Amino acid sequence: MKIIVPATSANLGAGFDSIGLAVNLYLTIEVLEKAEAWRIDHDLGVNIPTDEKNLLLTTLSAVLAQKKQHLSAKYHLKMSSDIPLARGLGSSSSVIVAGIELANQLAQLGLSDEEKLALACQIEGHPDNVAPALYGNLVIASSATKEVRAIKAKLPQCKLLAFVPDKELKTVASRQVLPETLSYAQAVAASAVANVLVASLLSGDLVTAGQMMKEDLFHEKYRSALVPELAAFREIGQTYGAYGTYLSGAGPTLMMLAPEEKITLLLQHLSEKNWQGCFYELEIDSKGLQVEKSLL
């Protein structure tokens, strides 16, 4: 059996903790054989556990405990990923989604997509990354109440251009710079920007969506000091034809939505900056979570 989960790019500016987009970088989990103890083969670095401490297996255990199920067998697994770690592309969320599906398959739980999303939100804390990882495409979701609600949508044809800095930026550190509260007036203003962002995304107006991305009042202005490339990245995007630019998730990855015919020009000007990191030309993943040779 093989489980495949896409990377995700969250927030899209003002859609803080609720909007996400699936992109074509992938985590793959393969179930190889039964074993005496859980073992995960991977080449993701010495800091990623290869036993029950791995996030994949702690997620599996959490799901089984909630569903009051037990596995009699343990397995030898293989984990591979081309999603950069701790860079704002949903690397942890992809593992959580994979762990939920691994439990679903091995314990024959028969979980619906809605149940998987609810479990993922319980573990992750919010839906902006886990929802598109499950569903693919663009997802607007809320887990503010007991029930998780998600709206799935497709964007018009476009490409994505990501700059992934060499440095990591942990979500915890990125959240520490955010204010604990906003005034009523600030909250109303920030919500108005987010409302127009959502409306423009759902109507396919990427030009207006891009304008709303840069007007975010929830998080980017507080996090910009942690990602010094953001201002220049946005200026180049505006000058050379991108629809919009935003800080992907908690950062430090920077993302552009652009017409396909503008990507080469944008990449040319961005490359002149000699920033320390990598550029990725990406596409929207339309499938979300995939299972090959399902056990269900």
PDB file of all heavy atoms in Angstrom, residues 120-134:
ATOM      1  N   ALA A 120      -7.803  15.550  11.710  1.00  0.00           N
ATOM      2  CA  ALA A 120      -6.612  16.330  11.361  1.00  0.00           C
ATOM      3  C   ALA A 120      -6.615  17.685  12.051  1.00  0.00           C
ATOM      4  O   ALA A 120      -5.572  18.150  12.532  1.00  0.00           O
ATOM      5  CB  ALA A 120      -6.535  16.504   9.845  1.00  0.00           C
ATOM      6  N   CYS A 121      -7.779  18.320  12.136  1.00  0.00           N
ATOM      7  CA  CYS A 121      -7.871  19.618  12.802  1.00  0.00           C
ATOM      8  C   CYS A 121      -7.637  19.484  14.305  1.00  0.00           C
ATOM      9  O   CYS A 121      -7.038  20.371  14.919  1.00  0.00           O
ATOM     10  CB  CYS A 121      -9.227  20.263  12.528  1.00  0.00           C
ATOM     11  SG  CYS A 121      -9.435  20.841  10.832  1.00  0.00           S
ATOM     12  N   GLN A 122      -8.108  18.397  14.898  1.00  0.00           N
ATOM     13  CA  GLN A 122      -7.856  18.168  16.318  1.00  0.00           C
ATOM     14  C   GLN A 122      -6.365  18.062  16.602  1.00  0.00           C
ATOM     15  O   GLN A 122      -5.862  18.582  17.597  1.00  0.00           O
ATOM     16  CB  GLN A 122      -8.557  16.889  16.777  1.00  0.00           C
ATOM     17  CG  GLN A 122     -10.071  16.985  16.843  1.00  0.00           C
ATOM     18  CD  GLN A 122     -10.704  15.643  17.161  1.00  0.00           C
ATOM     19  OE1 GLN A 122     -10.051  14.740  17.688  1.00  0.00           O
ATOM     20  NE2 GLN A 122     -11.972  15.482  16.818  1.00  0.00           N
ATOM     21  N   ILE A 123      -5.659  17.393  15.717  1.00  0.00           N
ATOM     22  CA  ILE A 123      -4.223  17.167  15.922  1.00  0.00           C
ATOM     23  C   ILE A 123      -3.403  18.391  15.546  1.00  0.00           C
ATOM     24  O   ILE A 123      -2.490  18.801  16.283  1.00  0.00           O
ATOM     25  CB  ILE A 123      -3.760  15.938  15.120  1.00  0.00           C
ATOM     26  CG1 ILE A 123      -4.466  14.671  15.639  1.00  0.00           C
ATOM     27  CG2 ILE A 123      -2.238  15.769  15.188  1.00  0.00           C
ATOM     28  CD1 ILE A 123      -4.312  13.461  14.747  1.00  0.00           C
ATOM     29  N   GLU A 124      -3.727  19.010  14.408  1.00  0.00           N
ATOM     30  CA  GLU A 124      -2.962  20.151  13.890  1.00  0.00           C
ATOM     31  C   GLU A 124      -3.356  21.454  14.564  1.00  0.00           C
ATOM     32  O   GLU A 124      -2.527  22.346  14.744  1.00  0.00           O
ATOM     33  CB  GLU A 124      -3.175  20.254  12.376  1.00  0.00           C
ATOM     34  CG  GLU A 124      -2.602  21.490  11.705  1.00  0.00           C
ATOM     35  CD  GLU A 124      -1.084  21.540  11.673  1.00  0.00           C
ATOM     36  OE1 GLU A 124      -0.440  20.578  12.138  1.00  0.00           O
ATOM     37  OE2 GLU A 124      -0.531  22.544  11.187  1.00  0.00           O
ATOM     38  N   GLY A 125      -4.643  21.596  14.876  1.00  0.00           N
ATOM     39  CA  GLY A 125      -5.103  22.812  15.546  1.00  0.00           C
ATOM     40  C   GLY A 125      -5.913  23.741  14.663  1.00  0.00           C
ATOM     41  O   GLY A 125      -6.723  24.515  15.155  1.00  0.00           O
ATOM     42  N   HIS A 126      -5.690  23.696  13.359  1.00  0.00           N
ATOM     43  CA  HIS A 126      -6.455  24.523  12.419  1.00  0.00           C
ATOM     44  C   HIS A 126      -6.395  23.882  11.035  1.00  0.00           C
ATOM     45  O   HIS A 126      -5.525  23.054  10.757  1.00  0.00           O
ATOM     46  CB  HIS A 126      -5.932  25.970  12.389  1.00  0.00           C
ATOM     47  CG  HIS A 126      -4.446  26.084  12.461  1.00  0.00           C
ATOM     48  ND1 HIS A 126      -3.618  25.881  11.387  1.00  0.00           N
ATOM     49  CD2 HIS A 126      -3.630  26.354  13.516  1.00  0.00           C
ATOM     50  CE1 HIS A 126      -2.359  26.046  11.759  1.00  0.00           C
ATOM     51  NE2 HIS A 126      -2.336  26.325  13.037  1.00  0.00           N
ATOM     52  N   PRO A 127      -7.317  24.262  10.153  1.00  0.00           N
ATOM     53  CA  PRO A 127      -7.488  23.488   8.911  1.00  0.00           C
ATOM     54  C   PRO A 127      -6.755  23.994   7.675  1.00  0.00           C
ATOM     55  O   PRO A 127      -6.849  23.373   6.628  1.00  0.00           O
ATOM     56  CB  PRO A 127      -9.001  23.587   8.681  1.00  0.00           C
ATOM     57  CG  PRO A 127      -9.341  24.950   9.199  1.00  0.00           C
ATOM     58  CD  PRO A 127      -8.438  25.190  10.386  1.00  0.00           C
ATOM     59  N   ASP A 128      -6.027  25.097   7.770  1.00  0.00           N
ATOM     60  CA  ASP A 128      -5.539  25.727   6.534  1.00  0.00           C
ATOM     61  C   ASP A 128      -4.603  24.846   5.714  1.00  0.00           C
ATOM     62  O   ASP A 128      -4.595  24.928   4.481  1.00  0.00           O
ATOM     63  CB  ASP A 128      -4.885  27.077   6.822  1.00  0.00           C
ATOM     64  CG  ASP A 128      -3.781  27.008   7.877  1.00  0.00           C
ATOM     65  OD1 ASP A 128      -3.622  25.948   8.522  1.00  0.00           O
ATOM     66  OD2 ASP A 128      -3.085  28.016   8.063  1.00  0.00           O
ATOM     67  N   ASN A 129      -3.825  23.992   6.368  1.00  0.00           N
ATOM     68  CA  ASN A 129      -2.947  23.067   5.638  1.00  0.00           C
ATOM     69  C   ASN A 129      -3.552  21.673   5.469  1.00  0.00           C
ATOM     70  O   ASN A 129      -3.459  21.076   4.397  1.00  0.00           O
ATOM     71  CB  ASN A 129      -1.594  22.936   6.351  1.00  0.00           C
ATOM     72  CG  ASN A 129      -0.662  24.095   6.071  1.00  0.00           C
ATOM     73  OD1 ASN A 129      -0.390  24.425   4.922  1.00  0.00           O
ATOM     74  ND2 ASN A 129      -0.180  24.735   7.124  1.00  0.00           N
ATOM     75  N   VAL A 130      -4.156  21.151   6.521  1.00  0.00           N
ATOM     76  CA  VAL A 130      -4.642  19.771   6.440  1.00  0.00           C
ATOM     77  C   VAL A 130      -5.812  19.623   5.474  1.00  0.00           C
ATOM     78  O   VAL A 130      -5.960  18.580   4.823  1.00  0.00           O
ATOM     79  CB  VAL A 130      -5.022  19.217   7.833  1.00  0.00           C
ATOM     80  CG1 VAL A 130      -3.786  19.057   8.702  1.00  0.00           C
ATOM     81  CG2 VAL A 130      -6.074  20.080   8.524  1.00  0.00           C
ATOM     82  N   ALA A 131      -6.656  20.652   5.344  1.00  0.00           N
ATOM     83  CA  ALA A 131      -7.823  20.537   4.462  1.00  0.00           C
ATOM     84  C   ALA A 131      -7.422  20.400   2.990  1.00  0.00           C
ATOM     85  O   ALA A 131      -7.875  19.477   2.305  1.00  0.00           O
ATOM     86  CB  ALA A 131      -8.764  21.721   4.669  1.00  0.00           C
ATOM     87  N   PRO A 132      -6.548  21.268   2.448  1.00  0.00           N
ATOM     88  CA  PRO A 132      -6.133  21.053   1.055  1.00  0.00           C
ATOM     89  C   PRO A 132      -5.277  19.801   0.874  1.00  0.00           C
ATOM     90  O   PRO A 132      -5.278  19.203  -0.204  1.00  0.00           O
ATOM     91  CB  PRO A 132      -5.361  22.328   0.696  1.00  0.00           C
ATOM     92  CG  PRO A 132      -4.971  22.926   1.995  1.00  0.00           C
ATOM     93  CD  PRO A 132      -6.049  22.557   2.966  1.00  0.00           C
ATOM     94  N   ALA A 133      -4.538  19.397   1.910  1.00  0.00           N
ATOM     95  CA  ALA A 133      -3.782  18.153   1.811  1.00  0.00           C
ATOM     96  C   ALA A 133      -4.726  16.969   1.607  1.00  0.00           C
ATOM     97  O   ALA A 133      -4.410  16.026   0.880  1.00  0.00           O
ATOM     98  CB  ALA A 133      -2.931  17.941   3.066  1.00  0.00           C
ATOM     99  N   LEU A 134      -5.880  17.023   2.232  1.00  0.00           N
ATOM    100  CA  LEU A 134      -6.895  15.977   2.070  1.00  0.00           C
ATOM    101  C   LEU A 134      -7.626  16.076   0.734  1.00  0.00           C
ATOM    102  O   LEU A 134      -7.799  15.082   0.027  1.00  0.00           O
ATOM    103  CB  LEU A 134      -7.920  16.076   3.202  1.00  0.00           C
ATOM    104  CG  LEU A 134      -7.613  15.342   4.497  1.00  0.00           C
ATOM    105  CD1 LEU A 134      -8.560  15.803   5.598  1.00  0.00           C
ATOM    106  CD2 LEU A 134      -7.715  13.832   4.305  1.00  0.00           C
TER     107      LEU A 134
END
